[in-house]
Amino acid sequence: MTAYLLAGHLLNLVAPAALMALLLAVFSRLFSGFFGSNKAFAQGWWAQAAINFIVGAGVLAAGLVLLGHDGKMLTYVVLAFAMAASQWCQLGGWKR
């Protein structure tokens, strides 16, 4: 496998985590007033996205190792729950 193909495979492996991380960070800011939270955010959107991406990439890597195949639906379900929990913890959801 060439370096070009390896880079393509790795980028496609973490692409769902990258997209979800950006969407979580942006939409949490857009809808914060809608859900009754007007308090200031502790981190910038880029820091929230970076932490969510690291959590998501870890879940995807663990799913690949444990299940032996990329793209299993169980991995994506765990990805959604893990990244939602990460965003909830970053926003201090337990304090409300």
Side-chain angles (χ1 to χ4, degrees):
M1 180 179 294
T2 65
Y4 174 74
L5 289 174
L6 180 63
H9 282 288
L10 290 177
L11 287 174
N12 285 323
L13 175 68
V14 297
L19 181 65
M20 277 189 66
L22 288 174
L23 290 176
L24 276 171
V26 171
F27 283 141
S28 69
R29 299 211 178 246
L30 288 175
F31 293 116
S32 65
F34 180 72
F35 290 111
S37 171
N38 291 326
K39 68 177 189 170
F41 290 93
Q43 302 165 335
W45 68 269
W46 53 271
Q48 289 180 2
I51 292 169
N52 287 335
F53 175 73
I54 291 168
V55 168
V59 167
L60 289 173
L64 177 63
V65 169
L66 294 174
L67 300 176
H69 192 272
D70 179 34
K72 297 279 188 176
M73 287 307 295
L74 177 62
T75 305
Y76 292 131
V77 169
V78 174
L79 173 72
F81 282 117
M83 291 182 75
S86 170
Q87 185 68 24
W88 182 75
C89 288
Q90 292 179 58
L91 295 178
W94 64 89
K95 295 178 184 177
R96 296 179 194 196

